[in-house]
Amino acid sequence: MNEESLVDLIGPQAEDPNRLIAQRHAKLARLRAQGPAFPNDFRRDALAGELHNRYDTLEKDVLERRAIPVRLAGRLMSRRIMGKASFAHLQDMSGRIQIFVQREGIGEEAYEFFKRELDLGDILGVSGRLFKTKTGELSVRCEQVRLLVKSLRPLPEKFHGLADTETCYRQRYLDLIVNPETRALFQMRSAIVRFVRQYLDARGYLEVETPMMQAIPGGAVARPFITHHNALDMPLFLRIAPELYLKRLVVGGFEKVYELNRNFRNEGLSTRHNPEFTMLEFYEAYADYQDLMDMTEDLLRQLALAVLGTTQISYQGQTYDLARPFARLSVREALVRFNPQLDSDDLDKPEQLRAFLERCGIKTQGDWGIGKLQYELFEQTVEERLLEPTFVTAYPTEVSPLARRNDQDPQVTDRFELFIGGREIANGFSELNDPEDQAERFRAQAAAKAAGDPEAMYYDADYIRALEYGLPPTAGEGIGIDRLVMLFTDSPSIRDVLLFPHLRPESKPSG
RNA sequence: GCGCCCUUAGCUCAGUAGGUAGAGCAUCUGACUUUUAAUCAGGUGGUCGCUGGUUCGAGUCCAGCAGGGCGCACCA
């Protein structure tokens, strides 16, 4: 092409510093000159993946005889031009299929257009008939090829794909176009979420939606995001958990409820933390934490079978078999087992326990009670070593402000956490439904907040009022969906399982 | 917030000892009617993240900044 006509056609865009983009702008300008450049009148009647499923096994000559007509649309992902015939691959939501374009088949003018004006990344609509090449690949012998959308930016390389992690996160659409593993991962995520919903629905649970914007953030120990409602001129908090609302619904008579949606916590980012993340919480009346452990074990087993086809899951080089019964042990047992130097009697002696923590290099605070000390020691010395699926039970009441006290030992709660691969996957407990006990624990939390702990809970008077009407004996549980997906997709970072993970803003979009 | 590492063509990556920028793919020109990382011949393409410093000379050495990755801390 000559440079004069290029500037005439498209003006300043011809000066795009990127020559590849400028060339495509020029092609689009020529297209505009001939009519609507972004048509929306092409209709397809087939998908690449479905055609493979149906016809890959059909004999070459049978396929040739039947001459099955198809209309397909998709993105041009590869192209091999050999004189008067060309092969290319179209990619749609279901996969890829090869198209065969001949001058003989679509006419001289259309073939020249195909050779001259199309680029990788363009979106095409084609019609033709199915056939198999001499190497046996199911393909479409095109009778028509239409350009539906001109792609103005070149795609990443066809062979290596897109490898730059930052670009994958910032421009996930590109990652999805060129990296089939990324597509597969997010399809897997969707399958996991779908299965979880079906599992709970089949057991009579009601899916509900409770407020994401709360006047009093509750249900977890974490810092909230704060926003402001203009008309009401009041602060609102993005929820850190739906827990207190879900239990209000159990008070209201929805005896099995769940919510699977986003929580927001104003804390650091890491390979395991994103400011917004997806949590499943479910509550069942007339059940206890033991019932939930059994159910969780079954859920994960069924889930693995459904989405992976096996109970064996591989995570970062380790294999775990979910078919084997999950280990169960108490916080106390775990502390003793993983801290052989620890005298188990010292677990109940604040001074000795604090000294032990300090010897382990764990910084303690003066207002920590025995429960907090035990919990910190557990987090620092046990959690990451719980590789095989393990339920840990009997968490200290001091660190479990919403959980029911154990009848034999009120210093601990009827609570469990599930660990797999050293990561917390689930947290559940028999719910505290004694309104007076709950009010007392809220007061302790509110005191801690007043004393400067930004993560301590607020006193939620309406929640206490709800409990005063009577919360049935109930068990509830939260499962971090992102971490579950990480586990099931062998992903080392939470960003790999979030379509659009949180990143600092780009200084200026480029490329 | 702290520590370590990374940033070179549209993409994937090289870049020696400080001496003025390379490959493959993509793109452009030409050849080619069953290719599939098509092939063959020829060409274009760079603010080496940004700013400053050292030096006769910096992609390379130093400092600051930005973005990213990993770890720590906080947390799920």
Side-chain angles (χ1 to χ4, degrees), chain A residues 83 91 100 168 187-188 223 252 297 314 320 322 369 373 403 488:
Chain A
Q91 174 170 293
F100 183 48
C168 286
Q187 285 163 347
M188 169 77 83
R223 293 191 200 203
E297 202 167 327
S314 239
Y320 308 102
L322 300 181
L373 289 167
F488 273 67

Side-chain angles (χ1 to χ4, degrees), chain A residues 323-391:
Chain A
R324 294 173 50 194
F326 295 7
R328 301 189 183 195
L329 74 168
S330 67
V331 169
R332 176 174 287 268
E333 289 165 338
L335 284 174
V336 171
R337 180 177 306 176
F338 288 93
N339 291 284
Q341 349 54 324
L342 175 68
D343 182 343
S344 64
D345 292 340
D346 287 351
L347 277 173
D348 301 306
K349 300 173 185 158
E351 282 75 37
Q352 282 86 339
L353 187 57
R354 181 181 302 276
F356 184 80
L357 264 71
E358 295 286 348
R359 277 204 299 284
C360 294
I362 302 168
K363 293 195 190 77
T364 64
Q365 289 171 24
D367 58 343
W368 289 2
I370 197 85
K372 177 69 172 168
L373 289 167
Q374 289 175 357
Y375 184 66
E376 284 296 320
L377 185 61
F378 174 78
E379 286 197 320
Q380 299 290 327
T381 62
V382 179
E383 278 195 9
E384 63 180 17
R385 291 151 79 186
L386 295 172
L387 297 178
E388 290 295 324
T390 305
F391 287 111

Side-chain angles (χ1 to χ4, degrees), chain A residues 83-86 101-112:
Chain A
K84 299 179 182 64
S86 302
V101 183
Q102 280 172 296
R103 193 174 73 174
E104 228 169 65
I106 67 170
E108 182 152 5
E109 198 182 331
Y111 190 69
E112 278 306 299

Side-chain angles (χ1 to χ4, degrees), chain A residues 437-455:
Chain A
D437 189 354
Q438 183 68 77
E440 196 176 305
R441 294 206 225 168
F442 271 161
R443 276 192 291 271
Q445 288 284 318
K449 180 167 281 294
D453 181 352
E455 290 172 352

Side-chain angles (χ1 to χ4, degrees), chain A residues 136-270:
Chain A
E137 178 169 349
L138 184 70
S139 307
V140 180
R141 183 179 285 114
C142 292
E143 289 155 9
Q144 274 199 325
V145 176
R146 277 186 71 193
L147 174 58
L148 304 180
V149 177
K150 184 72 204 166
S151 172
L152 293 174
R153 289 175 178 269
L155 291 178
E157 203 215 3
K158 61 185 174 184
F159 187 57
H160 296 94
L162 182 63
D164 182 70
T165 50
E166 183 175 354
T167 309
C168 286
Y169 295 155
R170 284 196 198 280
Q171 296 177 256
R172 186 66 90 182
Y173 42 89
L174 258 192
D175 187 22
L176 289 167
I177 289 171
V178 300
N179 292 328
E181 322 81 64
T182 306
R183 269 194 308 269
L185 189 150
F186 286 102
Q187 285 163 347
M188 169 77 83
R189 179 175 176 126
S190 179
I192 290 170
V193 168
R194 199 178 322 127
F195 180 88
V196 167
R197 284 203 162 98
Q198 284 166 358
Y199 186 93
L200 292 166
D201 292 344
R203 279 158 186 73
Y205 280 77
L206 185 70
E207 181 172 8
V208 296
E209 295 168 274
T210 65
M212 298 250 180
M213 304 175 81
Q214 305 178 346
I216 302 172
V221 177
R223 293 191 200 203
F225 285 95
I226 305 175
T227 185
H228 186 261
H229 192 292
N230 288 341
L232 298 178
D233 189 25
M234 64 178 287
L236 282 175
F237 300 89
L238 299 190
R239 75 175 182 198
I240 53 175
E243 173 155 354
L244 300 184
Y245 282 95
L246 291 171
K247 285 192 281 196
R248 284 175 171 97
L249 294 178
V250 182
V251 170
F254 287 157
E255 293 162 359
K256 294 181 179 183
V257 291
Y258 73 93
E259 181 161 10
L260 201 170
N261 218 318
R262 221 66 63 80
N263 288 347
F264 308 86
R265 297 190 186 174
N266 202 343
E267 279 152 4
L269 286 75
S270 80

Side-chain angles (χ1 to χ4, degrees), chain A residues 14 21 43 51 121 135 199 224-225 288 404 408 424 437 479 495 503:
Chain A
I21 294 176
R43 296 295 174 265
L51 293 177
T135 57
Y199 186 93
F225 285 95
D288 68 11
R404 182 184 191 279
Q408 276 70 50
E424 182 191 334
D437 189 354
I479 297 180
R495 295 180 205 102
L503 298 176

Side-chain angles (χ1 to χ4, degrees), chain A residues 404-458:
Chain A
R404 182 184 191 279
R405 289 181 201 271
N406 181 267
D407 289 336
Q408 276 70 50
D409 178 3
Q411 293 305 303
V412 301
T413 54
D414 288 341
R415 174 182 172 190
F416 69 87
E417 290 190 338
L418 171 63
F419 295 88
I420 302 177
R423 308 261 175 105
E424 182 191 334
I425 298 295
N427 175 22
F429 40 86
S430 300
E431 300 299 337
L432 173 56
N433 61 346
D434 174 343
E436 292 173 355
D437 189 354
Q438 183 68 77
E440 196 176 305
R441 294 206 225 168
F442 271 161
R443 276 192 291 271
Q445 288 284 318
K449 180 167 281 294
D453 181 352
E455 290 172 352
M457 292 177 178
Y458 291 80

Side-chain angles (χ1 to χ4, degrees), chain A residues 1-12:
Chain A
M1 81 191 56
N2 78 61
E3 296 297 322
E4 274 175 20
S5 68
L6 207 154
V7 175
D8 287 349
L9 275 166
I10 59 176

